[in-house]
Coordinates of all heavy atoms in Angstrom, one line a residue:
M1 N 0.8 -1.2 0.0 CA 0.0 0.0 0.0 C 0.9 1.2 0.0 O 1.8 1.4 0.8 CB -0.9 0.0 1.2 CG -1.7 1.2 1.3 SD -2.5 1.5 3.0 CE -1.2 2.3 3.8
S2 N 0.5 2.2 -0.8 CA 1.2 3.4 -0.9 C 0.5 4.4 0.0 O -0.7 4.4 0.2 CB 1.2 4.0 -2.3 OG 1.6 5.3 -2.4
E3 N 1.3 5.3 0.6 CA 0.6 6.3 1.5 C 0.0 7.4 0.7 O -0.9 8.1 1.2 CB 1.7 6.9 2.5 CG 2.1 5.9 3.5 CD 2.9 6.5 4.6 OE1 2.7 7.7 4.9 OE2 3.6 5.8 5.2
N4 N 0.4 7.5 -0.6 CA -0.3 8.5 -1.5 C -1.1 7.7 -2.5 O -0.6 7.0 -3.3 CB 0.8 9.3 -2.3 CG 1.6 10.1 -1.3 OD1 1.0 10.7 -0.4 ND2 2.9 10.2 -1.5
Y5 N -2.4 7.8 -2.4 CA -3.3 7.2 -3.3 C -4.5 8.0 -3.5 O -4.8 9.0 -2.8 CB -3.7 5.8 -2.7 CG -4.3 5.8 -1.3 CD1 -5.6 6.0 -1.0 CD2 -3.4 5.6 -0.2 CE1 -6.1 6.1 0.2 CE2 -3.9 5.6 1.1 CZ -5.2 5.8 1.3 OH -5.7 5.8 2.6
A6 N -5.2 7.7 -4.6 CA -6.4 8.5 -5.0 C -7.7 7.7 -4.4 O -7.8 6.5 -4.6 CB -6.5 8.6 -6.5
Y7 N -8.5 8.5 -3.8 CA -9.8 7.9 -3.3 C -10.7 7.6 -4.5 O -10.7 8.3 -5.5 CB -10.5 8.9 -2.5 CG -10.0 9.2 -1.1 CD1 -9.8 10.5 -0.7 CD2 -9.6 8.1 -0.3 CE1 -9.3 10.7 0.6 CE2 -9.1 8.4 1.0 CZ -8.9 9.7 1.4 OH -8.4 9.9 2.6
P8 N -11.4 6.5 -4.5 CA -12.3 6.2 -5.5 C -13.5 7.1 -5.5 O -14.2 7.2 -4.5 CB -12.7 4.7 -5.3 CG -12.4 4.5 -3.8 CD -11.3 5.4 -3.5
L9 N -13.7 7.9 -6.5 CA -14.8 8.8 -6.6 C -15.5 8.7 -8.0 O -15.0 8.1 -8.9 CB -14.2 10.3 -6.5 CG -13.4 10.6 -5.3 CD1 -12.8 12.0 -5.4 CD2 -14.3 10.6 -4.1
E10 N -16.7 9.1 -8.0 CA -17.5 9.0 -9.3 C -17.5 10.4 -9.9 O -17.7 11.4 -9.3 CB -18.9 8.6 -9.0 CG -19.0 7.2 -8.3 CD -18.5 6.1 -9.2 OE1 -18.6 6.2 -10.5 OE2 -18.0 5.1 -8.7
A11 N -17.4 10.4 -11.3 CA -17.3 11.7 -12.0 C -18.5 12.5 -11.9 O -18.5 13.7 -12.0 CB -17.0 11.3 -13.5
E12 N -19.7 11.9 -11.7 CA -20.9 12.6 -11.7 C -21.2 13.3 -10.4 O -22.2 14.1 -10.3 CB -22.1 11.8 -12.2 CG -22.5 10.7 -11.2 CD -21.7 9.3 -11.4 OE1 -20.9 9.3 -12.3 OE2 -22.0 8.4 -10.7
W13 N -20.5 13.0 -9.3 CA -20.7 13.6 -8.0 C -20.4 15.1 -8.0 O -19.5 15.6 -8.7 CB -19.9 12.9 -7.0 CG -20.3 11.5 -6.6 CD1 -21.5 11.0 -6.9 CD2 -19.5 10.6 -5.9 NE1 -21.5 9.7 -6.4 CE2 -20.3 9.4 -5.8 CE3 -18.2 10.6 -5.4 CZ2 -19.9 8.3 -5.1 CZ3 -17.8 9.4 -4.7 CH2 -18.6 8.3 -4.6
Q14 N -21.2 15.8 -7.3 CA -21.0 17.2 -7.1 C -20.0 17.4 -6.0 O -19.6 16.5 -5.3 CB -22.3 17.9 -6.6 CG -23.5 17.7 -7.6 CD -23.2 18.4 -9.0 OE1 -22.7 19.5 -9.0 NE2 -23.5 17.7 -10.0
I15 N -19.5 18.7 -5.9 CA -18.4 18.9 -4.9 C -18.8 18.6 -3.5 O -18.0 18.0 -2.7 CB -18.0 20.4 -4.9 CG1 -17.5 20.8 -6.3 CG2 -17.0 20.8 -3.8 CD1 -16.1 21.1 -6.5
E16 N -20.1 18.9 -3.1 CA -20.5 18.6 -1.7 C -20.6 17.1 -1.5 O -20.3 16.6 -0.4 CB -21.9 19.2 -1.5 CG -22.0 20.7 -1.6 CD -22.1 21.2 -3.0 OE1 -22.5 20.4 -4.0 OE2 -21.8 22.4 -3.2
E17 N -20.9 16.3 -2.5 CA -21.0 14.9 -2.4 C -19.6 14.3 -2.3 O -19.3 13.4 -1.5 CB -21.7 14.3 -3.7 CG -23.2 14.6 -3.7 CD -23.8 14.3 -5.0 OE1 -23.2 14.4 -6.1 OE2 -25.0 13.8 -5.0
I18 N -18.6 14.8 -3.1 CA -17.3 14.4 -3.0 C -16.7 14.7 -1.6 O -16.1 13.8 -1.0 CB -16.4 15.1 -4.1 CG1 -16.8 14.5 -5.4 CG2 -14.9 14.9 -3.8 CD1 -16.1 15.3 -6.6
T19 N -17.0 15.8 -1.1 CA -16.6 16.2 0.3 C -17.1 15.2 1.3 O -16.4 14.8 2.2 CB -17.0 17.6 0.6 OG1 -16.5 18.5 -0.4 CG2 -16.6 18.1 2.0
T20 N -18.4 14.8 1.2 CA -19.0 13.9 2.1 C -18.4 12.5 2.0 O -18.1 11.9 3.1 CB -20.5 13.8 1.9 OG1 -21.1 15.1 2.1 CG2 -21.2 12.8 2.8
V21 N -18.1 12.1 0.8 CA -17.6 10.7 0.6 C -16.1 10.7 1.1 O -15.7 9.8 1.8 CB -17.6 10.3 -0.9 CG1 -16.8 9.0 -1.1 CG2 -19.1 10.1 -1.3
V22 N -15.4 11.7 0.9 CA -14.0 11.8 1.3 C -13.9 11.9 2.9 O -13.1 11.3 3.5 CB -13.2 13.0 0.7 CG1 -11.9 13.3 1.4 CG2 -13.0 12.8 -0.8
A23 N -14.9 12.6 3.5 CA -15.0 12.6 4.9 C -15.2 11.2 5.5 O -14.6 10.8 6.5 CB -16.1 13.5 5.4
F24 N -16.0 10.4 4.8 CA -16.2 9.0 5.3 C -14.9 8.2 5.1 O -14.5 7.4 6.0 CB -17.4 8.4 4.6 CG -17.6 6.9 4.9 CD1 -17.9 6.6 6.2 CD2 -17.4 5.9 4.0 CE1 -18.0 5.2 6.6 CE2 -17.5 4.6 4.4 CZ -17.8 4.2 5.7
Y25 N -14.3 8.3 3.9 CA -13.0 7.6 3.7 C -12.0 7.9 4.8 O -11.3 7.1 5.3 CB -12.4 7.9 2.3 CG -13.2 7.4 1.1 CD1 -13.1 8.0 -0.1 CD2 -14.0 6.2 1.2 CE1 -13.7 7.5 -1.2 CE2 -14.6 5.8 0.1 CZ -14.5 6.4 -1.1 OH -15.2 5.9 -2.2
T26 N -11.9 9.2 5.1 CA -11.0 9.6 6.2 C -11.4 9.0 7.5 O -10.5 8.6 8.3 CB -11.0 11.2 6.3 OG1 -10.6 11.7 5.0 CG2 -10.1 11.7 7.3
A27 N -12.7 8.9 7.8 CA -13.2 8.3 9.0 C -12.8 6.8 9.1 O -12.4 6.3 10.2 CB -14.7 8.5 9.2
V28 N -12.8 6.1 8.0 CA -12.4 4.7 7.9 C -10.9 4.6 8.2 O -10.5 3.8 9.0 CB -12.7 4.1 6.5 CG1 -12.1 2.7 6.4 CG2 -14.2 4.0 6.3
E29 N -10.1 5.5 7.6 CA -8.7 5.5 7.9 C -8.4 5.8 9.3 O -7.6 5.1 10.0 CB -8.0 6.6 7.0 CG -8.0 6.3 5.6 CD -7.5 7.4 4.7 OE1 -7.4 8.6 5.2 OE2 -7.2 7.2 3.6
T30 N -9.1 6.7 9.9 CA -8.9 7.1 11.3 C -9.3 5.9 12.2 O -8.6 5.6 13.2 CB -9.8 8.3 11.7 OG1 -9.4 9.4 10.8 CG2 -9.6 8.7 13.1
A31 N -10.4 5.2 11.9 CA -10.8 4.0 12.7 C -9.7 3.0 12.7 O -9.4 2.4 13.7 CB -12.1 3.4 12.1
Y32 N -9.0 2.8 11.6 CA -7.9 1.8 11.5 C -6.7 2.3 12.2 O -6.0 1.5 13.0 CB -7.6 1.5 10.1 CG -8.4 0.4 9.5 CD1 -9.6 0.6 8.9 CD2 -8.0 -1.0 9.7 CE1 -10.4 -0.4 8.4 CE2 -8.7 -2.0 9.2 CZ -9.9 -1.8 8.5 OH -10.7 -2.8 8.0
L33 N -6.3 3.5 12.0 CA -5.0 4.0 12.5 C -5.0 4.5 14.0 O -4.1 4.2 14.7 CB -4.6 5.2 11.7 CG -4.3 4.8 10.2 CD1 -4.0 6.1 9.4 CD2 -3.2 3.8 10.0
N34 N -6.1 5.2 14.4 CA -6.1 5.8 15.7 C -7.3 5.4 16.6 O -7.3 5.6 17.8 CB -6.0 7.3 15.6 CG -4.9 7.8 14.9 OD1 -3.8 7.3 15.0 ND2 -5.1 8.8 14.0
G35 N -8.4 5.0 15.9 CA -9.6 4.8 16.6 C -10.4 6.1 16.4 O -9.9 7.1 16.1
I36 N -11.8 5.9 16.5 CA -12.7 7.1 16.2 C -13.9 6.9 17.1 O -14.3 5.8 17.4 CB -13.0 7.2 14.7 CG1 -13.8 8.4 14.4 CG2 -13.8 5.9 14.3 CD1 -13.9 8.7 12.9
D37 N -14.5 8.0 17.5 CA -15.8 8.0 18.2 C -16.8 7.2 17.3 O -17.0 7.5 16.1 CB -16.3 9.4 18.4 CG -17.6 9.5 19.1 OD1 -17.6 9.4 20.4 OD2 -18.6 9.5 18.4
R38 N -17.4 6.3 17.9 CA -18.3 5.4 17.2 C -19.5 6.1 16.6 O -19.9 5.9 15.4 CB -18.8 4.3 18.2 CG -19.8 3.3 17.6 CD -20.2 2.2 18.6 NE -21.4 1.6 18.2 CZ -22.6 2.0 18.5 NH1 -22.8 3.0 19.3 NH2 -23.7 1.4 18.1
Q39 N -20.1 7.0 17.4 CA -21.3 7.8 16.8 C -20.9 8.7 15.7 O -21.6 8.8 14.7 CB -22.0 8.6 18.0 CG -23.3 9.1 17.5 CD -24.3 8.0 17.0 OE1 -24.5 7.0 17.7 NE2 -24.8 8.1 15.8
L40 N -19.7 9.3 15.8 CA -19.2 10.2 14.7 C -19.0 9.3 13.5 O -19.4 9.7 12.4 CB -17.9 10.8 15.1 CG -17.2 11.6 14.0 CD1 -18.0 12.8 13.5 CD2 -15.8 12.1 14.5
F41 N -18.4 8.2 13.6 CA -18.2 7.3 12.5 C -19.6 6.9 11.8 O -19.7 6.9 10.6 CB -17.5 6.0 12.9 CG -17.2 5.1 11.7 CD1 -16.0 5.3 11.0 CD2 -18.0 4.1 11.4 CE1 -15.7 4.5 9.9 CE2 -17.7 3.3 10.3 CZ -16.6 3.5 9.6
L42 N -20.5 6.5 12.7 CA -21.8 6.1 12.1 C -22.5 7.3 11.5 O -23.2 7.1 10.4 CB -22.7 5.5 13.3 CG -22.3 4.2 13.8 CD1 -23.1 3.8 15.0 CD2 -22.4 3.1 12.7
N43 N -22.4 8.5 12.0 CA -22.9 9.7 11.3 C -22.3 9.9 9.9 O -23.0 10.2 9.0 CB -22.7 10.9 12.2 CG -23.6 10.9 13.4 OD1 -24.5 10.1 13.5 ND2 -23.3 11.7 14.4
Q44 N -21.0 9.7 9.9 CA -20.3 9.8 8.6 C -20.7 8.8 7.6 O -20.9 9.1 6.4 CB -18.7 9.7 8.8 CG -18.1 10.8 9.6 CD -17.9 12.1 8.8 OE1 -18.2 12.2 7.7 NE2 -17.4 13.1 9.5
Y45 N -21.0 7.6 8.1 CA -21.5 6.5 7.2 C -22.9 6.8 6.7 O -23.2 6.6 5.6 CB -21.4 5.1 8.0 CG -22.0 4.0 7.1 CD1 -21.3 3.6 6.0 CD2 -23.1 3.3 7.5 CE1 -21.8 2.6 5.2 CE2 -23.6 2.2 6.8 CZ -22.9 1.9 5.6 OH -23.4 0.8 4.8
H46 N -23.7 7.3 7.6 CA -25.1 7.7 7.2 C -25.0 8.8 6.1 O -25.8 8.7 5.1 CB -25.8 8.3 8.4 CG -27.2 8.7 8.1 ND1 -27.5 10.1 7.8 CD2 -28.4 8.1 8.0 CE1 -28.8 10.2 7.5 NE2 -29.3 9.0 7.6
D47 N -24.2 9.8 6.3 CA -24.0 10.8 5.2 C -23.5 10.2 3.9 O -24.0 10.5 2.8 CB -23.1 11.9 5.7 CG -23.6 12.7 6.9 OD1 -24.8 12.6 7.2 OD2 -22.8 13.4 7.5
F48 N -22.6 9.3 4.0 CA -22.0 8.5 2.8 C -23.2 7.8 2.1 O -23.3 7.8 0.9 CB -21.0 7.6 3.3 CG -20.5 6.6 2.3 CD1 -19.5 7.0 1.3 CD2 -20.9 5.3 2.3 CE1 -19.1 6.1 0.4 CE2 -20.4 4.4 1.4 CZ -19.5 4.8 0.4
K49 N -24.0 7.2 2.9 CA -25.1 6.4 2.3 C -26.2 7.3 1.7 O -27.0 6.8 0.8 CB -25.8 5.5 3.4 CG -25.0 4.3 3.8 CD -24.6 3.4 2.6 CE -25.8 2.7 2.1 NZ -25.6 1.9 0.8
Q50 N -26.2 8.5 2.0 CA -27.2 9.5 1.3 C -26.7 9.7 -0.1 O -27.5 10.1 -1.0 CB -27.2 10.8 2.0 CG -27.8 10.7 3.5 CD -29.1 9.9 3.5 OE1 -30.1 10.4 2.9 NE2 -29.1 8.8 4.3
I51 N -25.4 9.5 -0.4 CA -24.9 9.7 -1.7 C -24.7 8.3 -2.5 O -25.1 8.2 -3.6 CB -23.5 10.4 -1.6 CG1 -23.7 11.8 -1.1 CG2 -22.8 10.4 -3.0 CD1 -22.7 12.4 -0.3
V52 N -24.2 7.3 -1.7 CA -24.0 6.0 -2.3 C -25.2 5.1 -1.8 O -25.1 4.5 -0.8 CB -22.7 5.4 -1.9 CG1 -22.5 4.1 -2.5 CG2 -21.6 6.4 -2.3
K53 N -26.3 5.2 -2.5 CA -27.5 4.5 -2.0 C -27.6 3.1 -2.3 O -28.1 2.3 -1.5 CB -28.7 5.3 -2.6 CG -28.8 6.7 -2.1 CD -30.1 7.4 -2.5 CE -30.1 8.7 -1.8 NZ -30.7 9.8 -2.1
S54 N -27.0 2.6 -3.4 CA -27.2 1.2 -3.8 C -26.1 0.4 -3.1 O -24.9 0.8 -3.0 CB -27.1 1.0 -5.3 OG -25.8 1.0 -5.8
K55 N -26.5 -0.8 -2.7 CA -25.5 -1.8 -2.2 C -24.4 -2.1 -3.2 O -23.2 -2.3 -2.8 CB -26.2 -3.1 -1.7 CG -26.7 -3.0 -0.3 CD -25.5 -3.0 0.7 CE -26.0 -3.1 2.1 NZ -25.0 -2.8 3.0
A56 N -24.8 -2.3 -4.4 CA -23.8 -2.6 -5.5 C -22.8 -1.6 -5.6 O -21.6 -1.9 -5.7 CB -24.5 -2.9 -6.8
E57 N -23.2 -0.3 -5.6 CA -22.2 0.8 -5.7 C -21.3 0.8 -4.5 O -20.1 1.0 -4.6 CB -22.9 2.1 -6.0 CG -21.9 3.3 -6.2 CD -22.6 4.6 -6.4 OE1 -23.8 4.7 -6.2 OE2 -21.9 5.5 -6.8
E58 N -21.9 0.6 -3.3 CA -21.1 0.6 -2.1 C -20.1 -0.5 -2.1 O -19.0 -0.3 -1.7 CB -22.1 0.4 -0.9 CG -21.3 0.5 0.4 CD -22.2 0.3 1.6 OE1 -23.5 0.3 1.5 OE2 -21.7 0.3 2.8
K59 N -20.5 -1.7 -2.6 CA -19.5 -2.8 -2.7 C -18.4 -2.5 -3.6 O -17.2 -2.8 -3.4 CB -20.3 -4.1 -3.1 CG -21.1 -4.7 -2.0 CD -21.8 -6.0 -2.5 CE -22.6 -6.6 -1.3 NZ -23.3 -7.8 -1.7
Q60 N -18.7 -1.9 -4.8 CA -17.7 -1.5 -5.7 C -16.7 -0.5 -5.1 O -15.5 -0.6 -5.2 CB -18.3 -0.9 -7.0 CG -19.0 -1.9 -7.8 CD -19.7 -1.2 -9.0 OE1 -19.9 0.0 -9.0 NE2 -20.0 -2.0 -10.1
L61 N -17.2 0.5 -4.4 CA -16.3 1.5 -3.8 C -15.5 0.9 -2.7 O -14.4 1.2 -2.5 CB -17.2 2.7 -3.3 CG -17.8 3.6 -4.4 CD1 -18.7 4.6 -3.8 CD2 -16.7 4.3 -5.2
T62 N -16.2 0.0 -1.9 CA -15.4 -0.7 -0.8 C -14.3 -1.5 -1.4 O -13.2 -1.4 -0.8 CB -16.4 -1.6 -0.1 OG1 -17.4 -0.9 0.6 CG2 -15.7 -2.5 1.0
K63 N -14.5 -2.2 -2.5 CA -13.4 -3.0 -3.1 C -12.3 -2.1 -3.6 O -11.1 -2.3 -3.4 CB -14.0 -3.8 -4.2 CG -13.0 -4.7 -4.9 CD -13.6 -5.5 -6.0 CE -12.6 -6.4 -6.7 NZ -13.2 -7.2 -7.8
K64 N -12.7 -1.0 -4.3 CA -11.7 0.0 -4.8 C -10.9 0.6 -3.7 O -9.7 0.8 -3.8 CB -12.3 1.0 -5.7 CG -12.9 0.5 -7.0 CD -13.6 1.7 -7.8 CE -14.2 1.2 -9.0 NZ -15.0 2.2 -9.7
F65 N -11.6 1.0 -2.6 CA -10.9 1.7 -1.5 C -10.0 0.7 -0.8 O -8.8 1.1 -0.5 CB -12.0 2.2 -0.5 CG -11.4 3.0 0.6 CD1 -10.9 4.3 0.4 CD2 -11.4 2.5 1.9 CE1 -10.3 5.0 1.4 CE2 -10.8 3.2 2.9 CZ -10.3 4.5 2.7
L66 N -10.4 -0.5 -0.7 CA -9.5 -1.5 -0.1 C -8.2 -1.7 -0.9 O -7.1 -1.8 -0.4 CB -10.2 -2.9 0.1 CG -9.4 -4.0 0.7 CD1 -8.9 -3.7 2.0 CD2 -10.3 -5.3 0.7
Q67 N -8.4 -1.8 -2.2 CA -7.3 -2.0 -3.1 C -6.3 -0.9 -3.1 O -5.1 -1.1 -3.1 CB -7.8 -2.2 -4.6 CG -8.4 -3.5 -4.8 CD -9.1 -3.6 -6.2 OE1 -9.3 -2.5 -6.9 NE2 -9.4 -4.8 -6.7
V68 N -6.7 0.4 -3.0 CA -5.8 1.5 -3.0 C -5.3 1.8 -1.6 O -4.1 2.3 -1.5 CB -6.4 2.8 -3.7 CG1 -6.7 2.5 -5.1 CG2 -7.6 3.3 -2.9
S69 N -6.0 1.6 -0.6 CA -5.6 2.0 0.8 C -5.2 0.9 1.7 O -4.5 1.1 2.6 CB -6.8 2.8 1.4 OG -7.8 1.9 1.8
G70 N -5.8 -0.3 1.5 CA -5.5 -1.4 2.4 C -6.5 -1.4 3.6 O -6.5 -2.2 4.5
F71 N -7.5 -0.4 3.6 CA -8.5 -0.3 4.7 C -9.8 -0.8 4.2 O -10.3 -0.4 3.1 CB -8.6 1.1 5.2 CG -7.4 1.7 5.7 CD1 -6.8 2.8 5.0 CD2 -6.7 1.2 6.8 CE1 -5.6 3.4 5.5 CE2 -5.6 1.8 7.3 CZ -5.0 2.9 6.6
D72 N -10.4 -1.7 4.9 CA -11.7 -2.3 4.5 C -12.9 -1.6 5.2 O -13.1 -1.6 6.4 CB -11.7 -3.8 4.9 CG -12.8 -4.6 4.3 OD1 -13.9 -4.0 4.0 OD2 -12.7 -5.8 4.2
M73 N -13.6 -0.8 4.3 CA -14.8 -0.1 4.8 C -15.8 -1.0 5.5 O -16.4 -0.6 6.5 CB -15.4 0.7 3.6 CG -14.6 1.8 3.1 SD -15.2 2.6 1.5 CE -16.9 2.2 1.4
Y74 N -16.0 -2.2 4.9 CA -17.0 -3.1 5.4 C -16.7 -3.5 6.9 O -17.5 -3.5 7.7 CB -17.1 -4.4 4.5 CG -18.0 -5.4 5.1 CD1 -19.4 -5.3 4.9 CD2 -17.5 -6.5 5.8 CE1 -20.2 -6.3 5.4 CE2 -18.4 -7.5 6.3 CZ -19.7 -7.3 6.1 OH -20.6 -8.3 6.6
V75 N -15.4 -3.8 7.1 CA -15.0 -4.2 8.5 C -15.2 -3.0 9.5 O -15.7 -3.2 10.6 CB -13.5 -4.6 8.5 CG1 -13.0 -4.8 9.9 CG2 -13.4 -5.9 7.7
A76 N -14.9 -1.8 9.1 CA -15.0 -0.7 9.9 C -16.5 -0.4 10.2 O -16.9 -0.1 11.4 CB -14.4 0.6 9.3
V77 N -17.3 -0.5 9.2 CA -18.8 -0.3 9.4 C -19.3 -1.3 10.3 O -20.1 -1.0 11.3 CB -19.5 -0.2 8.1 CG1 -21.0 -0.2 8.3 CG2 -19.1 1.0 7.3
K78 N -19.0 -2.6 10.1 CA -19.5 -3.7 10.9 C -19.0 -3.5 12.4 O -19.8 -3.7 13.3 CB -19.1 -5.0 10.4 CG -19.9 -5.6 9.3 CD -21.3 -5.7 9.8 CE -22.3 -6.0 8.7 NZ -23.6 -5.7 8.9
A79 N -17.8 -3.1 12.6 CA -17.3 -2.9 13.9 C -18.1 -1.8 14.6 O -18.5 -1.9 15.8 CB -15.8 -2.5 13.9
A80 N -18.4 -0.7 13.9 CA -19.2 0.4 14.5 C -20.6 -0.1 14.8 O -21.2 0.3 15.8 CB -19.2 1.6 13.6
Q81 N -21.2 -0.8 13.9 CA -22.6 -1.2 14.0 C -22.8 -2.3 15.1 O -23.9 -2.3 15.7 CB -23.2 -1.8 12.7 CG -23.3 -0.7 11.7 CD -23.8 -1.3 10.3 OE1 -23.5 -2.4 10.0 NE2 -24.4 -0.5 9.5
T82 N -21.8 -3.1 15.4 CA -22.0 -4.2 16.3 C -21.4 -3.9 17.7 O -21.7 -4.6 18.7 CB -21.4 -5.5 15.8 OG1 -20.0 -5.3 15.6 CG2 -22.1 -5.9 14.5
S83 N -20.7 -2.8 17.8 CA -20.0 -2.5 19.1 C -21.0 -1.7 20.0 O -21.9 -1.0 19.5 CB -18.8 -1.7 18.9 OG -18.2 -1.3 20.1
D84 N -20.8 -1.8 21.3 CA -21.5 -1.0 22.2 C -20.6 0.0 22.9 O -21.0 0.7 23.8 CB -22.3 -1.8 23.2 CG -21.4 -2.7 24.0 OD1 -20.2 -2.8 23.8 OD2 -21.9 -3.5 24.9
R85 N -19.3 0.0 22.4 CA -18.3 0.9 23.0 C -18.5 2.3 22.4 O -19.0 2.5 21.3 CB -16.9 0.4 22.7 CG -16.6 -0.9 23.4 CD -15.2 -1.3 23.2 NE -14.9 -2.5 24.0 CZ -13.7 -3.0 24.0 NH1 -12.8 -2.5 23.3 NH2 -13.5 -4.1 24.7
K86 N -17.9 3.3 23.1 CA -18.0 4.7 22.7 C -17.1 4.9 21.5 O -17.4 5.7 20.6 CB -17.6 5.6 23.8 CG -17.7 7.1 23.5 CD -17.7 8.0 24.7 CE -17.6 9.4 24.4 NZ -18.7 9.9 23.6
R87 N -15.9 4.2 21.4 CA -15.0 4.3 20.3 C -14.8 3.0 19.7 O -14.9 1.9 20.3 CB -13.6 4.8 20.9 CG -13.6 6.3 21.3 CD -12.3 6.7 21.8 NE -11.2 6.7 20.8 CZ -11.0 7.6 19.8 NH1 -11.8 8.7 19.8 NH2 -10.0 7.5 19.0
I88 N -14.4 3.0 18.4 CA -14.0 1.8 17.7 C -12.6 2.0 17.2 O -12.1 3.2 17.0 CB -14.9 1.5 16.5 CG1 -14.9 2.6 15.4 CG2 -16.3 1.2 16.9 CD1 -15.4 2.2 14.1
G89 N -11.8 0.9 17.2 CA -10.5 1.0 16.7 C -9.5 1.3 17.9 O -9.9 1.4 19.0
P90 N -8.2 1.4 17.5 CA -7.7 1.1 16.2 C -8.0 -0.3 15.7 O -7.9 -1.2 16.5 CB -6.2 1.4 16.3 CG -5.9 1.9 17.6 CD -7.2 1.7 18.4
L91 N -8.3 -0.4 14.4 CA -8.6 -1.7 13.8 C -7.4 -2.4 13.2 O -6.5 -1.7 12.8 CB -9.7 -1.6 12.8 CG -11.0 -0.9 13.3 CD1 -12.0 -0.7 12.1 CD2 -11.7 -1.8 14.3
N92 N -7.4 -3.7 13.1 CA -6.3 -4.4 12.5 C -6.6 -4.6 11.0 O -7.8 -4.8 10.6 CB -6.1 -5.8 13.1 CG -5.7 -5.7 14.5 OD1 -4.9 -4.8 14.9 ND2 -6.2 -6.6 15.4
K93 N -5.6 -4.4 10.2 CA -5.8 -4.6 8.8 C -5.9 -6.1 8.5 O -5.3 -6.9 9.1 CB -4.6 -4.1 8.0 CG -4.7 -2.6 7.8 CD -3.6 -2.1 6.9 CE -3.7 -0.7 6.6 NZ -2.7 -0.2 5.7

């Protein structure tokens, strides 16, 4: 994994949508590297899902993000959804 990589984005997204998606990608990275407030993470995921509504598109972005970053969005989301702790992470790759 390179520390410099491009986030998977869709060409048709508006600037606000890109900002929201990038904020979620950053939250995933933070969950892995340092840990993150669980509710903040879930809020970021909710905002992400307002843009990426279909499961198929979410799976494609998850796969692309994992390939470029080494961070699995699915694992981070599941950790947040199933935990009762205030914080999630740092997560293992």
Side-chain angles (χ1 to χ4, degrees):
M1 176 195 86
S2 168
E3 290 191 24
N4 296 319
Y5 51 87
Y7 289 131
L9 302 171
E10 298 296 329
E12 68 271 4
W13 287 343
Q14 302 297 316
I15 300 250
E16 298 83 18
E17 294 170 319
I18 291 170
T19 302
T20 299
V21 171
V22 168
F24 176 64
Y25 289 156
T26 302
V28 172
E29 292 172 343
T30 302
Y32 271 91
L33 299 173
N34 304 318
I36 189 169
D37 179 85
R38 181 178 159 270
Q39 193 56 55
L40 173 64
F41 183 87
L42 289 172
N43 291 344
Q44 295 282 358
Y45 179 62
H46 177 267
D47 294 345
F48 170 81
K49 287 301 294 172
Q50 298 307 302
I51 294 148
V52 181
K53 294 185 173 156
S54 83
K55 271 291 190 196
E57 185 180 11
E58 182 179 357
K59 285 180 180 181
Q60 288 176 340
L61 291 171
T62 297
K63 183 178 179 180
K64 289 177 185 177
F65 185 71
L66 178 59
Q67 288 173 340
V68 298
S69 71
F71 301 116
D72 192 334
M73 291 170 22
Y74 176 81
V75 169
V77 169
K78 278 298 171 202
Q81 290 175 334
T82 60
S83 176
D84 58 357
R85 295 182 174 185
K86 184 168 174 56
R87 290 182 62 81
I88 59 164
L91 302 173
N92 296 323
K93 283 189 177 181

